[in-house]
Amino acid sequence: MGPRSGVESPDSLDAALEVLTAEAARSGGEADADRVALAVRVVRDAVAELQATQLALTEALIASQDRQLAVEALARINLRGAASDDTLALLLDRALSITESRQVLLLEAGEIALVRGEEADLEAHRRLVRAAISEAPDDVVRAVASDTAVIGVLDPEGEGDQHIAFFRSVDRPFSTLDVPLIEAIVSAIGVMLAFRELHRHEFERAAVEREHQLASVLAQSVISTEPPPASSVDIFADTVPAALTGGDFYVFGRSTAAIWFAVGDVVGKGLPAAMLMTRAVAACRIAFLTRSDDSVVDVFQRIEDELFDHLDDVGVFITLAMGVIREDTGEISLVNAGHSPVMFAGDEIQTVRASVPPVGVIRGRVPQVWTTVLGADDTLILGSDGLVEQTDPDGAQFGYDRFADLCRSARGRRSADFGRIVFGAVEGFARGAAPSDDATLMVVRRGGAPA
């Protein structure tokens, strides 16, 4: 049989001591008997002390095991996915049980956000916590109030002002043995709150992005999808934003015997440019509708008057090429305010240069009007800088020379066919490189499809 451990049972110990006492009485005198009796009392006291110590150790071991199981249960909570108040309350309930506290408080910016356990003395405890934090703001965990309260900082490296406080009664203060456990609990709850804050920011970001997308779609929808129908004028127009939406636009208007048109580019990209683009489109449409029989210069100045103050306030400008084509004669009158490329493909390639700065730069300049009559194969091409400034993977730009060479092939082609050629050529040149800017193209020619 192997060696035995622990303290002998009281029955066996008493029997052994009685045997020793009887043997001493039989073999010795009264003095020996007294000495034996004293030794027996000493042995009994020592054994009783050992038994008490063993009981205390056993209880401490059981309590330690209970805490370990509670901490393991705390660790099994999915902290990464914990984003609800219910999960936070569950964590605090576990913390209340593990630390054997009577009350646990979660405080945000010095105010009580959540209470678990007893509801008593809340205001007094809040003041105690705020005073302790004020006195030692850098302490991650500190004990106060004669060790009946322990306060921990949640996410000490973050910007949030969040604390957790544990309270016990005066007859059961916290000890130094409780500190490592509380530190672990504070760390776990801090991680959960950090993930909850991250989840909140992600949700808000997603909501903003969704609103951005909706606003972008609405902004892009103001652009006319088709030019006005006309039997004697062949027009193609399209725009490809660099992002979800952009600042390029085209717009049409109609009168009894003419079609008004404009192509513009708001400086910048994305939603801010798109918002300004919608205002510019509206200004053009209003000017086209109210133009009566005004000249191109008058219509341009009406557009400028509508937009200038707003553009000047925000420090933005718009390049704009706008004009009118008479359906019966094919005569085109055009004003160019800082826009390019604008090309005329007739017998030769001609660049229609700007005569005034972009809208929003200098007010009241009177533009020169470029005028021509479209022949049977003549074509007016209005692009945007997103076409000529498109780069390939090596950083080289498509450039104005390539664009001018493309324009030479416009003669005799339907406007839509030529438009597809231009966008295809630019896309092929890019070879997968991201667009450098929004790309817009309008093609205007006389008559229907060539035979």
Side-chain angles (χ1 to χ4, degrees):
M1 220 175 146
R4 298 178 61 188
S5 61
V7 179
E8 295 288 347
S9 67
D11 291 341
S12 61
L13 179 64
D14 287 342
L17 291 176
E18 287 176 359
V19 170
L20 290 174
T21 302
E23 184 65 25
R26 187 169 51 250
S27 61
E30 183 178 346
D32 290 337
D34 290 341
R35 285 195 296 272
V36 169
L38 177 60
V40 168
R41 286 196 299 273
V42 171
V43 170
R44 288 185 186 277
D45 291 343
V47 170
E49 186 176 350
L50 288 173
Q51 288 174 335
T53 301
Q54 184 182 46
L55 180 60
L57 289 173
T58 301
E59 291 176 348
L61 178 61
I62 292 173
S64 176
Q65 290 174 336
D66 289 343
R67 285 190 173 187
Q68 181 179 352
L69 291 174
V71 171
E72 290 175 355
L74 182 71
R76 283 195 294 271
I77 296 177
N78 182 11
L79 297 179
R80 287 186 64 90
S84 69
D85 289 340
D86 290 341
T87 307
L88 178 57
L90 174 61
L91 275 171
L92 293 185
D93 283 337
R94 295 279 176 83
L96 184 78
S97 174
I98 294 171
T99 60
E100 299 178 346
S101 300
R102 68 182 182 92
Q103 184 184 80
V104 175
L105 302 181
L106 176 67
L107 297 98
E108 296 181 353
E111 300 298 330
I112 297 175
L114 193 58
V115 180
R116 309 309 289 177
E118 298 179 7
E119 297 282 344
D121 304 320
L122 290 180
E123 181 57 26
H125 288 171
R126 184 186 71 85
R127 290 196 300 267
L128 186 150
V129 172
R130 293 185 66 171
I133 294 171
S134 177
E135 291 175 4
D138 297 330
D139 289 351
V140 176
V141 174
R142 85 290 307 268
V144 296
S146 301
D147 296 334
T148 59
V150 176
I151 304 165
V153 180
L154 300 170
D155 189 21
E157 302 300 325
E159 298 179 356
D161 184 12
Q162 295 177 312
H163 295 79
I164 185 170
F166 304 84
F167 291 90
R168 283 183 180 175
S169 56
V170 292
D171 59 334
R172 295 189 63 253
F174 291 98
S175 71
T176 55
L177 297 177
D178 295 309
V179 173
L181 177 64
I182 290 177
E183 288 177 339
I185 294 171
V186 169
S187 177
I189 295 176
V191 169
M192 193 283 291
L193 290 176
F195 276 112
R196 188 174 74 159
E197 187 69 9
L198 179 63
H199 175 80
R200 184 181 67 82
H201 284 309
E202 286 296 313
F203 183 82
E204 291 176 352
R205 186 190 62 78
V208 170
E209 183 175 340
R210 174 58 184 158
E211 291 176 357
H212 187 147
Q213 291 175 344
L214 179 59
S216 298
V217 171
L218 292 175
Q220 203 68 20
S221 68
V222 306
I223 299 178
S224 303
T225 55
E226 298 289 341
S231 60
S232 58
V233 178
D234 177 23
I235 300 178
F236 165 86
D238 197 10
T239 184
V240 179
L244 182 63
T245 190
D248 280 13
F249 65 91
Y250 59 86
V251 59
F252 298 103
R254 186 69 186 264
S255 66
T256 303
I259 296 175
W260 292 80
F261 58 88
V263 174
D265 180 4
V266 180
V267 63
K269 297 186 287 293
L271 186 59
M275 294 297 98
L276 289 171
M277 176 266 290
T278 62
R279 191 178 184 115
V281 169
C284 290
R285 284 180 174 160
I286 291 171
F288 293 165
L289 287 172
T290 59
R291 95 239 149 261
S292 183
D293 290 322
D294 294 343
S295 69
V296 176
V297 171
D298 291 335
V299 174
F300 170 79
Q301 290 176 335
R302 194 167 299 165
I303 295 171
E304 182 183 57
D305 288 342
E306 179 67 25
L307 294 175
F308 187 90
D309 288 340
H310 181 68
L311 295 174
D312 186 55
D313 288 342
V314 297
V316 174
F317 61 84
I318 299 174
T319 66
L320 182 71
M322 56 79 55
V324 61
I325 179 169
R326 312 292 172 182
E327 293 184 76
D328 52 351
T329 65
E331 180 183 356
I332 289 182
S333 298
L334 179 75
V335 166
N336 188 344
H339 195 81
S340 88
V342 180
M343 313 289 289
F344 175 68
D347 294 335
E348 296 182 354
I349 298 299
Q350 178 184 351
T351 298
V352 182
R353 302 190 183 280
S355 61
V356 289
V359 178
V361 176
I362 301 176
R363 189 172 196 165
R365 298 285 294 272
V366 178
Q368 296 178 2
V369 179
W370 177 86
T371 303
T372 192
V373 176
L374 289 179
D377 293 329
D378 296 341
T379 306
L380 177 66
I381 302 115
L382 302 94
S384 70
D385 54 10
L387 295 170
V388 294
E389 294 177 1
Q390 175 63 54
T391 58
D392 65 9
D394 298 325
Q397 289 191 345
F398 188 80
Y400 285 88
D401 290 342
R402 287 189 180 88
F403 189 80
D405 289 341
L406 274 179
C407 291
R408 290 186 177 90
S409 67
R411 290 178 59 81
R413 297 183 186 276
R414 289 178 59 100
S415 62
D417 293 340
F418 178 66
R420 284 190 289 269
I421 288 173
V422 172
F423 280 112
V426 173
E427 182 180 1
F429 176 83
R431 302 199 315 276
S436 58
D437 201 351
D438 309 324
T440 300
L441 182 69
M442 181 182 291
V443 182
V444 181
R445 64 182 304 276
R446 185 94 179 270

PDB file of all heavy atoms in Angstrom, residues 70 73-79 82 84-98 104 114-116 185 189 192:
ATOM      1  N   ALA A  70     -15.329  30.525 -14.059  1.00  0.00           N
ATOM      2  CA  ALA A  70     -16.044  31.752 -14.411  1.00  0.00           C
ATOM      3  C   ALA A  70     -15.270  32.566 -15.440  1.00  0.00           C
ATOM      4  O   ALA A  70     -15.845  33.124 -16.379  1.00  0.00           O
ATOM      5  CB  ALA A  70     -16.295  32.589 -13.157  1.00  0.00           C
ATOM      6  N   ALA A  73     -15.653  30.949 -18.732  1.00  0.00           N
ATOM      7  CA  ALA A  73     -16.964  31.280 -19.281  1.00  0.00           C
ATOM      8  C   ALA A  73     -16.965  32.693 -19.858  1.00  0.00           C
ATOM      9  O   ALA A  73     -17.559  32.954 -20.909  1.00  0.00           O
ATOM     10  CB  ALA A  73     -18.034  31.160 -18.196  1.00  0.00           C
ATOM     11  N   LEU A  74     -16.278  33.613 -19.179  1.00  0.00           N
ATOM     12  CA  LEU A  74     -16.152  34.978 -19.682  1.00  0.00           C
ATOM     13  C   LEU A  74     -15.402  34.996 -21.010  1.00  0.00           C
ATOM     14  O   LEU A  74     -15.775  35.691 -21.948  1.00  0.00           O
ATOM     15  CB  LEU A  74     -15.423  35.845 -18.653  1.00  0.00           C
ATOM     16  CG  LEU A  74     -15.238  37.328 -18.983  1.00  0.00           C
ATOM     17  CD1 LEU A  74     -16.565  38.051 -18.908  1.00  0.00           C
ATOM     18  CD2 LEU A  74     -14.245  37.971 -18.029  1.00  0.00           C
ATOM     19  N   ALA A  75     -14.350  34.191 -21.089  1.00  0.00           N
ATOM     20  CA  ALA A  75     -13.527  34.164 -22.304  1.00  0.00           C
ATOM     21  C   ALA A  75     -14.281  33.550 -23.476  1.00  0.00           C
ATOM     22  O   ALA A  75     -13.957  33.835 -24.636  1.00  0.00           O
ATOM     23  CB  ALA A  75     -12.240  33.378 -22.048  1.00  0.00           C
ATOM     24  N   ARG A  76     -15.284  32.696 -23.183  1.00  0.00           N
ATOM     25  CA  ARG A  76     -16.009  32.049 -24.277  1.00  0.00           C
ATOM     26  C   ARG A  76     -17.003  32.982 -24.954  1.00  0.00           C
ATOM     27  O   ARG A  76     -17.524  32.673 -26.013  1.00  0.00           O
ATOM     28  CB  ARG A  76     -16.749  30.808 -23.755  1.00  0.00           C
ATOM     29  CG  ARG A  76     -15.837  29.610 -23.534  1.00  0.00           C
ATOM     30  CD  ARG A  76     -16.641  28.345 -23.385  1.00  0.00           C
ATOM     31  NE  ARG A  76     -17.447  28.344 -22.175  1.00  0.00           N
ATOM     32  CZ  ARG A  76     -17.017  27.894 -20.999  1.00  0.00           C
ATOM     33  NH1 ARG A  76     -15.784  27.428 -20.886  1.00  0.00           N
ATOM     34  NH2 ARG A  76     -17.812  27.910 -19.949  1.00  0.00           N
ATOM     35  N   ILE A  77     -17.270  34.142 -24.344  1.00  0.00           N
ATOM     36  CA  ILE A  77     -18.160  35.108 -24.983  1.00  0.00           C
ATOM     37  C   ILE A  77     -17.449  35.668 -26.208  1.00  0.00           C
ATOM     38  O   ILE A  77     -16.281  36.040 -26.168  1.00  0.00           O
ATOM     39  CB  ILE A  77     -18.526  36.248 -24.013  1.00  0.00           C
ATOM     40  CG1 ILE A  77     -19.326  35.680 -22.831  1.00  0.00           C
ATOM     41  CG2 ILE A  77     -19.338  37.326 -24.722  1.00  0.00           C
ATOM     42  CD1 ILE A  77     -19.662  36.711 -21.781  1.00  0.00           C
ATOM     43  N   ASN A  78     -18.167  35.750 -27.317  1.00  0.00           N
ATOM     44  CA  ASN A  78     -17.578  36.210 -28.575  1.00  0.00           C
ATOM     45  C   ASN A  78     -17.365  37.721 -28.517  1.00  0.00           C
ATOM     46  O   ASN A  78     -18.255  38.504 -28.841  1.00  0.00           O
ATOM     47  CB  ASN A  78     -18.497  35.857 -29.747  1.00  0.00           C
ATOM     48  CG  ASN A  78     -17.905  36.276 -31.082  1.00  0.00           C
ATOM     49  OD1 ASN A  78     -16.738  36.653 -31.162  1.00  0.00           O
ATOM     50  ND2 ASN A  78     -18.704  36.201 -32.127  1.00  0.00           N
ATOM     51  N   LEU A  79     -16.175  38.125 -28.074  1.00  0.00           N
ATOM     52  CA  LEU A  79     -15.917  39.553 -27.905  1.00  0.00           C
ATOM     53  C   LEU A  79     -15.895  40.296 -29.228  1.00  0.00           C
ATOM     54  O   LEU A  79     -16.307  41.444 -29.314  1.00  0.00           O
ATOM     55  CB  LEU A  79     -14.586  39.759 -27.172  1.00  0.00           C
ATOM     56  CG  LEU A  79     -14.535  39.192 -25.744  1.00  0.00           C
ATOM     57  CD1 LEU A  79     -13.165  39.431 -25.154  1.00  0.00           C
ATOM     58  CD2 LEU A  79     -15.610  39.795 -24.871  1.00  0.00           C
ATOM     59  N   ALA A  82     -19.375  40.973 -30.197  1.00  0.00           N
ATOM     60  CA  ALA A  82     -20.215  41.560 -29.157  1.00  0.00           C
ATOM     61  C   ALA A  82     -20.407  43.030 -29.428  1.00  0.00           C
ATOM     62  O   ALA A  82     -19.491  43.806 -29.274  1.00  0.00           O
ATOM     63  CB  ALA A  82     -19.573  41.355 -27.790  1.00  0.00           C
ATOM     64  N   SER A  84     -23.856  44.463 -28.810  1.00  0.00           N
ATOM     65  CA  SER A  84     -25.142  44.871 -28.270  1.00  0.00           C
ATOM     66  C   SER A  84     -25.036  45.167 -26.781  1.00  0.00           C
ATOM     67  O   SER A  84     -24.132  44.704 -26.091  1.00  0.00           O
ATOM     68  CB  SER A  84     -26.176  43.770 -28.503  1.00  0.00           C
ATOM     69  OG  SER A  84     -25.866  42.638 -27.698  1.00  0.00           O
ATOM     70  N   ASP A  85     -26.021  45.922 -26.281  1.00  0.00           N
ATOM     71  CA  ASP A  85     -26.091  46.202 -24.851  1.00  0.00           C
ATOM     72  C   ASP A  85     -26.358  44.928 -24.061  1.00  0.00           C
ATOM     73  O   ASP A  85     -25.923  44.805 -22.908  1.00  0.00           O
ATOM     74  CB  ASP A  85     -27.188  47.227 -24.581  1.00  0.00           C
ATOM     75  CG  ASP A  85     -26.814  48.618 -25.089  1.00  0.00           C
ATOM     76  OD1 ASP A  85     -25.611  48.859 -25.279  1.00  0.00           O
ATOM     77  OD2 ASP A  85     -27.717  49.441 -25.310  1.00  0.00           O
ATOM     78  N   ASP A  86     -27.085  43.987 -24.660  1.00  0.00           N
ATOM     79  CA  ASP A  86     -27.364  42.721 -23.964  1.00  0.00           C
ATOM     80  C   ASP A  86     -26.073  41.961 -23.684  1.00  0.00           C
ATOM     81  O   ASP A  86     -25.897  41.384 -22.599  1.00  0.00           O
ATOM     82  CB  ASP A  86     -28.308  41.850 -24.798  1.00  0.00           C
ATOM     83  CG  ASP A  86     -29.715  42.427 -24.848  1.00  0.00           C
ATOM     84  OD1 ASP A  86     -30.043  43.251 -23.978  1.00  0.00           O
ATOM     85  OD2 ASP A  86     -30.477  42.058 -25.761  1.00  0.00           O
ATOM     86  N   THR A  87     -25.163  41.935 -24.658  1.00  0.00           N
ATOM     87  CA  THR A  87     -23.900  41.234 -24.458  1.00  0.00           C
ATOM     88  C   THR A  87     -23.047  41.934 -23.408  1.00  0.00           C
ATOM     89  O   THR A  87     -22.392  41.280 -22.592  1.00  0.00           O
ATOM     90  CB  THR A  87     -23.123  41.154 -25.785  1.00  0.00           C
ATOM     91  OG1 THR A  87     -23.970  40.586 -26.775  1.00  0.00           O
ATOM     92  CG2 THR A  87     -21.884  40.300 -25.637  1.00  0.00           C
ATOM     93  N   LEU A  88     -23.072  43.252 -23.412  1.00  0.00           N
ATOM     94  CA  LEU A  88     -22.337  44.004 -22.398  1.00  0.00           C
ATOM     95  C   LEU A  88     -22.897  43.715 -21.008  1.00  0.00           C
ATOM     96  O   LEU A  88     -22.147  43.526 -20.042  1.00  0.00           O
ATOM     97  CB  LEU A  88     -22.412  45.495 -22.705  1.00  0.00           C
ATOM     98  CG  LEU A  88     -21.719  46.433 -21.711  1.00  0.00           C
ATOM     99  CD1 LEU A  88     -20.254  46.072 -21.567  1.00  0.00           C
ATOM    100  CD2 LEU A  88     -21.883  47.871 -22.129  1.00  0.00           C
ATOM    101  N   ALA A  89     -24.217  43.663 -20.894  1.00  0.00           N
ATOM    102  CA  ALA A  89     -24.833  43.351 -19.608  1.00  0.00           C
ATOM    103  C   ALA A  89     -24.439  41.948 -19.145  1.00  0.00           C
ATOM    104  O   ALA A  89     -24.189  41.722 -17.956  1.00  0.00           O
ATOM    105  CB  ALA A  89     -26.356  43.466 -19.718  1.00  0.00           C
ATOM    106  N   LEU A  90     -24.363  41.001 -20.091  1.00  0.00           N
ATOM    107  CA  LEU A  90     -23.945  39.642 -19.747  1.00  0.00           C
ATOM    108  C   LEU A  90     -22.514  39.636 -19.209  1.00  0.00           C
ATOM    109  O   LEU A  90     -22.206  38.961 -18.212  1.00  0.00           O
ATOM    110  CB  LEU A  90     -24.058  38.742 -20.979  1.00  0.00           C
ATOM    111  CG  LEU A  90     -23.531  37.311 -20.830  1.00  0.00           C
ATOM    112  CD1 LEU A  90     -24.292  36.574 -19.742  1.00  0.00           C
ATOM    113  CD2 LEU A  90     -23.628  36.565 -22.168  1.00  0.00           C
ATOM    114  N   LEU A  91     -21.635  40.398 -19.849  1.00  0.00           N
ATOM    115  CA  LEU A  91     -20.251  40.481 -19.378  1.00  0.00           C
ATOM    116  C   LEU A  91     -20.177  41.048 -17.957  1.00  0.00           C
ATOM    117  O   LEU A  91     -19.440  40.545 -17.102  1.00  0.00           O
ATOM    118  CB  LEU A  91     -19.432  41.359 -20.326  1.00  0.00           C
ATOM    119  CG  LEU A  91     -18.837  40.691 -21.563  1.00  0.00           C
ATOM    120  CD1 LEU A  91     -18.263  41.742 -22.490  1.00  0.00           C
ATOM    121  CD2 LEU A  91     -17.778  39.692 -21.180  1.00  0.00           C
ATOM    122  N   LEU A  92     -20.956  42.088 -17.716  1.00  0.00           N
ATOM    123  CA  LEU A  92     -20.926  42.694 -16.380  1.00  0.00           C
ATOM    124  C   LEU A  92     -21.533  41.758 -15.337  1.00  0.00           C
ATOM    125  O   LEU A  92     -21.086  41.734 -14.177  1.00  0.00           O
ATOM    126  CB  LEU A  92     -21.669  44.026 -16.400  1.00  0.00           C
ATOM    127  CG  LEU A  92     -21.019  45.140 -17.232  1.00  0.00           C
ATOM    128  CD1 LEU A  92     -21.793  46.441 -17.068  1.00  0.00           C
ATOM    129  CD2 LEU A  92     -19.562  45.345 -16.858  1.00  0.00           C
ATOM    130  N   ASP A  93     -22.537  40.991 -15.730  1.00  0.00           N
ATOM    131  CA  ASP A  93     -23.089  39.996 -14.799  1.00  0.00           C
ATOM    132  C   ASP A  93     -22.036  38.958 -14.432  1.00  0.00           C
ATOM    133  O   ASP A  93     -21.909  38.561 -13.257  1.00  0.00           O
ATOM    134  CB  ASP A  93     -24.308  39.312 -15.424  1.00  0.00           C
ATOM    135  CG  ASP A  93     -25.548  40.192 -15.384  1.00  0.00           C
ATOM    136  OD1 ASP A  93     -25.606  41.092 -14.529  1.00  0.00           O
ATOM    137  OD2 ASP A  93     -26.447  39.971 -16.214  1.00  0.00           O
ATOM    138  N   ARG A  94     -21.273  38.517 -15.439  1.00  0.00           N
ATOM    139  CA  ARG A  94     -20.197  37.562 -15.161  1.00  0.00           C
ATOM    140  C   ARG A  94     -19.143  38.198 -14.254  1.00  0.00           C
ATOM    141  O   ARG A  94     -18.625  37.569 -13.324  1.00  0.00           O
ATOM    142  CB  ARG A  94     -19.557  37.105 -16.472  1.00  0.00           C
ATOM    143  CG  ARG A  94     -20.494  36.310 -17.375  1.00  0.00           C
ATOM    144  CD  ARG A  94     -20.591  34.854 -16.947  1.00  0.00           C
ATOM    145  NE  ARG A  94     -21.560  34.136 -17.745  1.00  0.00           N
ATOM    146  CZ  ARG A  94     -21.310  33.613 -18.946  1.00  0.00           C
ATOM    147  NH1 ARG A  94     -20.117  33.763 -19.482  1.00  0.00           N
ATOM    148  NH2 ARG A  94     -22.250  32.962 -19.600  1.00  0.00           N
ATOM    149  N   ALA A  95     -18.811  39.448 -14.521  1.00  0.00           N
ATOM    150  CA  ALA A  95     -17.815  40.145 -13.705  1.00  0.00           C
ATOM    151  C   ALA A  95     -18.298  40.293 -12.268  1.00  0.00           C
ATOM    152  O   ALA A  95     -17.525  40.147 -11.309  1.00  0.00           O
ATOM    153  CB  ALA A  95     -17.521  41.520 -14.302  1.00  0.00           C
ATOM    154  N   LEU A  96     -19.588  40.583 -12.095  1.00  0.00           N
ATOM    155  CA  LEU A  96     -20.168  40.702 -10.761  1.00  0.00           C
ATOM    156  C   LEU A  96     -20.001  39.402  -9.986  1.00  0.00           C
ATOM    157  O   LEU A  96     -19.615  39.397  -8.812  1.00  0.00           O
ATOM    158  CB  LEU A  96     -21.645  41.070 -10.890  1.00  0.00           C
ATOM    159  CG  LEU A  96     -22.405  41.341  -9.595  1.00  0.00           C
ATOM    160  CD1 LEU A  96     -22.067  42.731  -9.073  1.00  0.00           C
ATOM    161  CD2 LEU A  96     -23.908  41.220  -9.835  1.00  0.00           C
ATOM    162  N   SER A  97     -20.271  38.287 -10.672  1.00  0.00           N
ATOM    163  CA  SER A  97     -20.176  36.976 -10.016  1.00  0.00           C
ATOM    164  C   SER A  97     -18.735  36.586  -9.727  1.00  0.00           C
ATOM    165  O   SER A  97     -18.404  36.126  -8.630  1.00  0.00           O
ATOM    166  CB  SER A  97     -20.852  35.919 -10.894  1.00  0.00           C
ATOM    167  OG  SER A  97     -20.669  34.626 -10.383  1.00  0.00           O
ATOM    168  N   ILE A  98     -17.865  36.781 -10.694  1.00  0.00           N
ATOM    169  CA  ILE A  98     -16.471  36.353 -10.539  1.00  0.00           C
ATOM    170  C   ILE A  98     -15.778  37.094  -9.397  1.00  0.00           C
ATOM    171  O   ILE A  98     -15.033  36.510  -8.617  1.00  0.00           O
ATOM    172  CB  ILE A  98     -15.702  36.572 -11.856  1.00  0.00           C
ATOM    173  CG1 ILE A  98     -16.250  35.657 -12.950  1.00  0.00           C
ATOM    174  CG2 ILE A  98     -14.207  36.317 -11.664  1.00  0.00           C
ATOM    175  CD1 ILE A  98     -15.695  35.960 -14.322  1.00  0.00           C
ATOM    176  N   VAL A 104     -21.616  46.469  -9.741  1.00  0.00           N
ATOM    177  CA  VAL A 104     -20.653  46.833 -10.790  1.00  0.00           C
ATOM    178  C   VAL A 104     -21.268  47.977 -11.598  1.00  0.00           C
ATOM    179  O   VAL A 104     -22.430  47.901 -12.013  1.00  0.00           O
ATOM    180  CB  VAL A 104     -20.339  45.644 -11.723  1.00  0.00           C
ATOM    181  CG1 VAL A 104     -19.425  46.096 -12.862  1.00  0.00           C
ATOM    182  CG2 VAL A 104     -19.682  44.517 -10.944  1.00  0.00           C
ATOM    183  N   LEU A 114     -24.442  51.897 -17.059  1.00  0.00           N
ATOM    184  CA  LEU A 114     -25.033  50.578 -16.835  1.00  0.00           C
ATOM    185  C   LEU A 114     -24.733  50.138 -15.410  1.00  0.00           C
ATOM    186  O   LEU A 114     -23.628  50.380 -14.899  1.00  0.00           O
ATOM    187  CB  LEU A 114     -24.465  49.561 -17.832  1.00  0.00           C
ATOM    188  CG  LEU A 114     -25.179  48.219 -17.961  1.00  0.00           C
ATOM    189  CD1 LEU A 114     -26.640  48.409 -18.366  1.00  0.00           C
ATOM    190  CD2 LEU A 114     -24.466  47.341 -18.989  1.00  0.00           C
ATOM    191  N   VAL A 115     -25.705  49.506 -14.756  1.00  0.00           N
ATOM    192  CA  VAL A 115     -25.570  49.020 -13.384  1.00  0.00           C
ATOM    193  C   VAL A 115     -25.927  47.545 -13.356  1.00  0.00           C
ATOM    194  O   VAL A 115     -26.923  47.128 -13.933  1.00  0.00           O
ATOM    195  CB  VAL A 115     -26.514  49.777 -12.421  1.00  0.00           C
ATOM    196  CG1 VAL A 115     -26.350  49.250 -10.993  1.00  0.00           C
ATOM    197  CG2 VAL A 115     -26.265  51.267 -12.474  1.00  0.00           C
ATOM    198  N   ARG A 116     -25.091  46.761 -12.667  1.00  0.00           N
ATOM    199  CA  ARG A 116     -25.418  45.360 -12.421  1.00  0.00           C
ATOM    200  C   ARG A 116     -25.254  45.111 -10.928  1.00  0.00           C
ATOM    201  O   ARG A 116     -24.357  45.651 -10.288  1.00  0.00           O
ATOM    202  CB  ARG A 116     -24.519  44.401 -13.214  1.00  0.00           C
ATOM    203  CG  ARG A 116     -24.433  44.691 -14.689  1.00  0.00           C
ATOM    204  CD  ARG A 116     -25.763  44.848 -15.345  1.00  0.00           C
ATOM    205  NE  ARG A 116     -26.501  43.588 -15.458  1.00  0.00           N
ATOM    206  CZ  ARG A 116     -27.726  43.514 -15.954  1.00  0.00           C
ATOM    207  NH1 ARG A 116     -28.348  44.617 -16.334  1.00  0.00           N
ATOM    208  NH2 ARG A 116     -28.317  42.331 -16.048  1.00  0.00           N
ATOM    209  N   ILE A 185     -10.529  41.028 -16.173  1.00  0.00           N
ATOM    210  CA  ILE A 185     -11.921  41.355 -16.516  1.00  0.00           C
ATOM    211  C   ILE A 185     -12.001  42.710 -17.202  1.00  0.00           C
ATOM    212  O   ILE A 185     -12.691  42.874 -18.215  1.00  0.00           O
ATOM    213  CB  ILE A 185     -12.789  41.332 -15.246  1.00  0.00           C
ATOM    214  CG1 ILE A 185     -12.868  39.908 -14.674  1.00  0.00           C
ATOM    215  CG2 ILE A 185     -14.186  41.866 -15.539  1.00  0.00           C
ATOM    216  CD1 ILE A 185     -13.518  39.833 -13.320  1.00  0.00           C
ATOM    217  N   ILE A 189     -13.493  43.354 -20.995  1.00  0.00           N
ATOM    218  CA  ILE A 189     -14.595  44.270 -21.273  1.00  0.00           C
ATOM    219  C   ILE A 189     -14.121  45.426 -22.154  1.00  0.00           C
ATOM    220  O   ILE A 189     -14.844  45.895 -23.031  1.00  0.00           O
ATOM    221  CB  ILE A 189     -15.203  44.782 -19.954  1.00  0.00           C
ATOM    222  CG1 ILE A 189     -15.847  43.603 -19.202  1.00  0.00           C
ATOM    223  CG2 ILE A 189     -16.232  45.872 -20.211  1.00  0.00           C
ATOM    224  CD1 ILE A 189     -16.398  43.973 -17.848  1.00  0.00           C
ATOM    225  N   MET A 192     -14.172  44.224 -25.697  1.00  0.00           N
ATOM    226  CA  MET A 192     -15.523  44.170 -26.215  1.00  0.00           C
ATOM    227  C   MET A 192     -16.037  45.559 -26.585  1.00  0.00           C
ATOM    228  O   MET A 192     -16.625  45.764 -27.650  1.00  0.00           O
ATOM    229  CB  MET A 192     -16.441  43.526 -25.174  1.00  0.00           C
ATOM    230  CG  MET A 192     -17.823  43.134 -25.713  1.00  0.00           C
ATOM    231  SD  MET A 192     -18.969  44.487 -25.907  1.00  0.00           S
ATOM    232  CE  MET A 192     -19.249  44.888 -24.193  1.00  0.00           C
TER     233      MET A 192
END
